Short mmCIF file of all heavy atoms in Angstrom, two decimals:
data_model
loop_
_atom_site.label_atom_id
_atom_site.label_comp_id
_atom_site.label_asym_id
_atom_site.label_seq_id
_atom_site.Cartn_x
_atom_site.Cartn_y
_atom_site.Cartn_z
N PHE A 1 60.95 159.06 90.69
CA PHE A 1 59.77 158.19 90.62
C PHE A 1 59.12 158.05 92.00
O PHE A 1 57.90 157.98 92.12
CB PHE A 1 60.15 156.82 90.08
CG PHE A 1 60.70 156.85 88.68
CD1 PHE A 1 62.06 156.66 88.45
CD2 PHE A 1 59.88 157.08 87.60
CE1 PHE A 1 62.58 156.67 87.17
CE2 PHE A 1 60.38 157.10 86.30
CZ PHE A 1 61.74 156.90 86.09
N GLY A 2 59.94 157.99 93.04
CA GLY A 2 59.40 157.89 94.39
C GLY A 2 58.64 159.13 94.80
O GLY A 2 57.63 159.05 95.51
N ARG A 3 59.09 160.30 94.35
CA ARG A 3 58.37 161.54 94.67
C ARG A 3 57.02 161.58 93.95
O ARG A 3 56.03 162.05 94.52
CB ARG A 3 59.23 162.74 94.29
CG ARG A 3 60.52 162.85 95.10
CD ARG A 3 61.27 164.13 94.78
NE ARG A 3 62.55 164.16 95.49
CZ ARG A 3 63.71 163.82 94.94
NH1 ARG A 3 63.75 163.47 93.65
NH2 ARG A 3 64.83 163.87 95.64
N VAL A 4 56.99 161.11 92.71
CA VAL A 4 55.71 161.04 92.00
C VAL A 4 54.78 160.06 92.71
O VAL A 4 53.58 160.34 92.89
CB VAL A 4 55.94 160.63 90.54
CG1 VAL A 4 54.60 160.43 89.83
CG2 VAL A 4 56.77 161.67 89.81
N TRP A 5 55.31 158.91 93.14
CA TRP A 5 54.50 157.92 93.87
C TRP A 5 53.94 158.54 95.15
O TRP A 5 52.75 158.35 95.46
CB TRP A 5 55.36 156.70 94.21
CG TRP A 5 54.65 155.69 95.06
CD1 TRP A 5 53.86 154.67 94.62
CD2 TRP A 5 54.65 155.61 96.49
NE1 TRP A 5 53.37 153.96 95.69
CE2 TRP A 5 53.84 154.51 96.85
CE3 TRP A 5 55.26 156.35 97.49
CZ2 TRP A 5 53.62 154.15 98.18
CZ3 TRP A 5 55.04 156.00 98.82
CH2 TRP A 5 54.23 154.90 99.15
N LEU A 6 54.76 159.27 95.87
CA LEU A 6 54.31 159.88 97.11
C LEU A 6 53.20 160.90 96.85
O LEU A 6 52.23 160.98 97.60
CB LEU A 6 55.49 160.56 97.82
CG LEU A 6 55.19 161.21 99.17
CD1 LEU A 6 54.75 160.16 100.17
CD2 LEU A 6 56.43 161.94 99.68
N SER A 7 53.32 161.67 95.76
CA SER A 7 52.28 162.64 95.42
C SER A 7 50.97 161.95 95.09
O SER A 7 49.90 162.40 95.51
CB SER A 7 52.74 163.50 94.23
OG SER A 7 53.93 164.20 94.54
N VAL A 8 51.05 160.85 94.33
CA VAL A 8 49.83 160.11 93.97
C VAL A 8 49.17 159.54 95.22
O VAL A 8 47.94 159.63 95.40
CB VAL A 8 50.16 159.00 92.96
CG1 VAL A 8 48.94 158.11 92.73
CG2 VAL A 8 50.63 159.58 91.64
N VAL A 9 49.98 158.96 96.12
CA VAL A 9 49.41 158.38 97.35
C VAL A 9 48.79 159.46 98.22
O VAL A 9 47.66 159.28 98.74
CB VAL A 9 50.50 157.62 98.12
CG1 VAL A 9 49.99 157.22 99.51
CG2 VAL A 9 50.92 156.38 97.37
N PHE A 10 49.47 160.57 98.38
CA PHE A 10 48.99 161.60 99.30
C PHE A 10 47.79 162.34 98.74
O PHE A 10 46.80 162.56 99.44
CB PHE A 10 50.11 162.60 99.60
CG PHE A 10 49.71 163.69 100.55
CD1 PHE A 10 49.46 163.43 101.88
CD2 PHE A 10 49.55 164.99 100.10
CE1 PHE A 10 49.06 164.43 102.75
CE2 PHE A 10 49.17 166.00 100.96
CZ PHE A 10 48.92 165.72 102.28
N ILE A 11 47.84 162.73 97.46
CA ILE A 11 46.78 163.57 96.89
C ILE A 11 45.60 162.72 96.42
O ILE A 11 44.44 163.01 96.75
CB ILE A 11 47.33 164.42 95.73
CG1 ILE A 11 48.41 165.37 96.24
CG2 ILE A 11 46.21 165.21 95.06
CD1 ILE A 11 49.12 166.14 95.14
N PHE A 12 45.88 161.68 95.64
CA PHE A 12 44.80 160.95 94.98
C PHE A 12 44.29 159.75 95.77
O PHE A 12 43.26 159.17 95.40
CB PHE A 12 45.25 160.47 93.60
CG PHE A 12 45.54 161.60 92.65
CD1 PHE A 12 46.85 161.95 92.37
CD2 PHE A 12 44.52 162.31 92.07
CE1 PHE A 12 47.12 162.99 91.50
CE2 PHE A 12 44.78 163.35 91.20
CZ PHE A 12 46.08 163.69 90.91
N ARG A 13 44.97 159.39 96.83
CA ARG A 13 44.48 158.25 97.62
C ARG A 13 44.16 158.67 99.05
O ARG A 13 43.03 158.47 99.51
CB ARG A 13 45.52 157.12 97.61
CG ARG A 13 45.68 156.49 96.24
CD ARG A 13 46.77 155.43 96.20
NE ARG A 13 46.44 154.26 96.98
CZ ARG A 13 47.21 153.17 97.05
NH1 ARG A 13 48.36 153.14 96.37
NH2 ARG A 13 46.86 152.14 97.77
N LEU A 14 45.11 159.25 99.75
CA LEU A 14 44.87 159.60 101.15
C LEU A 14 43.85 160.72 101.29
O LEU A 14 42.90 160.61 102.06
CB LEU A 14 46.19 159.98 101.82
CG LEU A 14 46.12 160.33 103.31
CD1 LEU A 14 45.58 159.15 104.10
CD2 LEU A 14 47.47 160.75 103.84
N LEU A 15 44.02 161.81 100.53
CA LEU A 15 43.09 162.94 100.67
C LEU A 15 41.70 162.58 100.17
O LEU A 15 40.70 162.97 100.78
CB LEU A 15 43.64 164.15 99.91
CG LEU A 15 44.84 164.85 100.54
CD1 LEU A 15 45.21 166.09 99.76
CD2 LEU A 15 44.55 165.23 102.00
N VAL A 16 41.63 161.83 99.06
CA VAL A 16 40.31 161.39 98.58
C VAL A 16 39.65 160.48 99.60
O VAL A 16 38.44 160.57 99.84
CB VAL A 16 40.47 160.68 97.22
CG1 VAL A 16 39.17 159.99 96.82
CG2 VAL A 16 40.87 161.68 96.14
N TYR A 17 40.44 159.62 100.22
CA TYR A 17 39.90 158.74 101.26
C TYR A 17 39.35 159.54 102.44
O TYR A 17 38.24 159.30 102.91
CB TYR A 17 40.99 157.78 101.73
CG TYR A 17 40.62 156.99 102.96
CD1 TYR A 17 39.86 155.84 102.88
CD2 TYR A 17 41.05 157.41 104.23
CE1 TYR A 17 39.52 155.12 104.01
CE2 TYR A 17 40.72 156.69 105.36
CZ TYR A 17 39.96 155.55 105.24
OH TYR A 17 39.62 154.85 106.37
N LEU A 18 40.12 160.53 102.91
CA LEU A 18 39.73 161.29 104.10
C LEU A 18 38.58 162.26 103.81
O LEU A 18 37.67 162.42 104.62
CB LEU A 18 40.93 162.07 104.64
CG LEU A 18 42.08 161.23 105.23
CD1 LEU A 18 43.24 162.12 105.61
CD2 LEU A 18 41.61 160.43 106.43
N VAL A 19 38.63 162.91 102.66
CA VAL A 19 37.68 163.99 102.37
C VAL A 19 36.36 163.46 101.83
O VAL A 19 35.29 163.95 102.20
CB VAL A 19 38.30 165.00 101.38
CG1 VAL A 19 37.28 166.06 100.99
CG2 VAL A 19 39.52 165.67 102.00
N ALA A 20 36.41 162.47 100.94
CA ALA A 20 35.19 162.08 100.24
C ALA A 20 34.77 160.64 100.49
O ALA A 20 33.62 160.38 100.88
CB ALA A 20 35.38 162.31 98.74
N ALA A 21 35.67 159.69 100.25
CA ALA A 21 35.27 158.28 100.26
C ALA A 21 34.72 157.84 101.61
O ALA A 21 33.75 157.07 101.69
CB ALA A 21 36.44 157.40 99.85
N GLU A 22 35.33 158.31 102.69
CA GLU A 22 34.89 157.88 104.02
C GLU A 22 33.45 158.30 104.28
O GLU A 22 32.68 157.58 104.92
CB GLU A 22 35.82 158.45 105.08
CG GLU A 22 35.68 157.80 106.43
CD GLU A 22 36.78 158.24 107.40
OE1 GLU A 22 37.44 159.25 107.12
OE2 GLU A 22 36.95 157.56 108.42
N LYS A 23 33.05 159.47 103.77
CA LYS A 23 31.68 159.94 103.97
C LYS A 23 30.70 159.17 103.09
O LYS A 23 29.55 158.96 103.49
CB LYS A 23 31.60 161.44 103.66
CG LYS A 23 32.40 162.30 104.61
CD LYS A 23 32.28 163.77 104.26
CE LYS A 23 33.11 164.63 105.23
NZ LYS A 23 33.03 166.07 104.90
N VAL A 24 31.14 158.75 101.91
CA VAL A 24 30.25 158.01 101.01
C VAL A 24 29.85 156.68 101.64
O VAL A 24 28.70 156.24 101.51
CB VAL A 24 30.93 157.79 99.65
CG1 VAL A 24 30.10 156.87 98.77
CG2 VAL A 24 31.14 159.13 98.96
N TRP A 25 30.78 156.02 102.33
CA TRP A 25 30.50 154.71 102.92
C TRP A 25 30.03 154.80 104.38
O TRP A 25 29.87 153.79 105.04
CB TRP A 25 31.74 153.83 102.86
CG TRP A 25 31.81 152.98 101.63
CD1 TRP A 25 31.34 151.70 101.49
CD2 TRP A 25 32.36 153.33 100.36
NE1 TRP A 25 31.58 151.24 100.22
CE2 TRP A 25 32.21 152.22 99.50
CE3 TRP A 25 32.99 154.48 99.86
CZ2 TRP A 25 32.64 152.23 98.19
CZ3 TRP A 25 33.42 154.49 98.55
CH2 TRP A 25 33.25 153.37 97.73
N SER A 26 29.78 156.00 104.88
CA SER A 26 29.39 156.12 106.29
C SER A 26 27.99 155.59 106.56
O SER A 26 27.66 155.23 107.69
CB SER A 26 29.48 157.60 106.72
OG SER A 26 28.58 158.39 105.95
N ASP A 27 27.15 155.54 105.52
CA ASP A 27 25.77 155.10 105.72
C ASP A 27 25.49 153.77 105.04
O ASP A 27 24.32 153.44 104.77
CB ASP A 27 24.81 156.16 105.16
CG ASP A 27 25.04 156.43 103.68
OD1 ASP A 27 26.04 155.91 103.15
OD2 ASP A 27 24.22 157.15 103.07
N ASP A 28 26.53 152.99 104.73
CA ASP A 28 26.31 151.77 103.96
C ASP A 28 25.45 150.76 104.70
O ASP A 28 24.59 150.10 104.10
CB ASP A 28 27.64 151.15 103.54
CG ASP A 28 28.57 150.92 104.71
OD1 ASP A 28 28.26 151.41 105.81
OD2 ASP A 28 29.62 150.26 104.52
N HIS A 29 25.62 150.61 106.01
CA HIS A 29 24.81 149.65 106.76
C HIS A 29 23.43 150.22 107.09
O HIS A 29 22.42 149.52 107.01
CB HIS A 29 25.52 149.26 108.05
CG HIS A 29 24.80 148.20 108.83
ND1 HIS A 29 23.88 148.51 109.81
CD2 HIS A 29 24.83 146.84 108.76
CE1 HIS A 29 23.39 147.39 110.33
NE2 HIS A 29 23.95 146.37 109.70
N LYS A 30 23.39 151.49 107.43
CA LYS A 30 22.11 152.09 107.82
C LYS A 30 21.13 152.11 106.66
O LYS A 30 19.92 151.90 106.85
CB LYS A 30 22.37 153.52 108.32
CG LYS A 30 21.12 154.25 108.79
CD LYS A 30 21.45 155.65 109.27
CE LYS A 30 21.98 156.50 108.12
NZ LYS A 30 22.21 157.91 108.56
N ASP A 31 21.61 152.37 105.45
CA ASP A 31 20.72 152.48 104.28
C ASP A 31 20.69 151.22 103.44
O ASP A 31 20.25 151.26 102.29
CB ASP A 31 21.17 153.67 103.41
CG ASP A 31 20.96 155.00 104.11
OD1 ASP A 31 20.14 155.04 105.04
OD2 ASP A 31 21.62 155.99 103.74
N PHE A 32 21.16 150.12 103.96
CA PHE A 32 21.04 148.84 103.26
C PHE A 32 19.67 148.26 103.60
O PHE A 32 19.44 147.74 104.70
CB PHE A 32 22.17 147.90 103.71
CG PHE A 32 22.20 146.58 103.01
CD1 PHE A 32 22.77 146.45 101.75
CD2 PHE A 32 21.65 145.44 103.60
CE1 PHE A 32 22.80 145.23 101.09
CE2 PHE A 32 21.68 144.22 102.96
CZ PHE A 32 22.25 144.11 101.70
N ASP A 33 18.73 148.35 102.67
CA ASP A 33 17.34 147.98 102.93
C ASP A 33 16.99 146.68 102.22
O ASP A 33 17.35 146.47 101.06
CB ASP A 33 16.39 149.08 102.43
CG ASP A 33 16.54 150.36 103.24
OD1 ASP A 33 16.84 150.25 104.44
OD2 ASP A 33 16.36 151.45 102.67
#
């Protein structure tokens, strides 16, 4: 169960955070009109 948890954290949370989510929120203040 711990190995499955580690896979979920690494693939579906950490990589999504680094690759996609961080870029989506990079302009949140600049484009808040």
Side-chain angles (χ1 to χ4, degrees):
F1 298 107
R3 296 185 184 98
V4 175
W5 175 86
L6 182 63
S7 300
V8 172
V9 170
F10 180 69
I11 298 174
F12 295 103
R13 293 176 67 177
L14 182 60
L15 288 184
V16 169
Y17 170 83
L18 293 175
V19 175
E22 195 171 16
K23 295 180 180 179
V24 172
W25 268 268
S26 61
D27 59 352
D28 53 351
H29 184 268
K30 181 180 65 176
D31 293 339
F32 183 81
D33 293 328

